[in-house]
Amino acid sequence: MTTMRDLIVGPDTPTPPYPILVEGTVVEGFGRGGKQLGIPTANLPSSVVDQALENIPIGVYYGWAQVQDDIVRPMVMSLGWNPYFKNEKRSGE
């Protein structure tokens, strides 16, 4: 059985506090993205994560990302605690 779903979900026009712009230098992470998850991650400094979480709740978000001068790509970002890995501080991955 195949079911179709919308490719884009959510309102046609974002409502505050969205969209959120998060910008920062990519920093070394916990070393588990490529090794344990099998995908590369771009990690943000804790100061950037703390600032982003002033306006939005902890969660997993989708959006767009650009690293250096590379093309803009779709992305998913976890902002906050990562219970699977038992983080001791909030992170942005």
Side-chain angles (χ1 to χ4, degrees):
M1 178 175 164
T2 302
T3 58
M4 297 296 292
R5 63 180 185 157
D6 293 337
L7 295 177
I8 299 176
V9 297
D12 290 335
T13 304
T15 57
Y18 306 103
I20 298 291
L21 173 63
V22 179
E23 184 176 358
T25 302
V26 174
V27 297
E28 186 173 346
F30 299 105
R32 59 187 178 218
K35 296 174 186 146
Q36 293 181 19
L37 301 175
I39 55 172
T41 61
N43 302 278
L44 294 172
S46 58
S47 60
V48 173
V49 174
D50 293 341
Q51 182 180 3
L53 291 174
E54 289 177 1
N55 299 314
I56 58 174
I58 289 170
V60 177
Y61 294 89
Y62 69 93
W64 304 96
Q66 182 179 25
V67 177
Q68 294 179 339
D69 294 328
D70 199 7
I71 62 174
V72 176
R73 300 178 186 275
M75 65 90 187
V76 173
M77 174 172 269
S78 171
L79 281 172
W81 306 104
N82 190 323
Y84 180 81
F85 288 108
K86 299 177 177 63
N87 284 13
E88 294 182 8
K89 64 180 185 174
R90 296 185 302 189
S91 64
E93 313 180 59

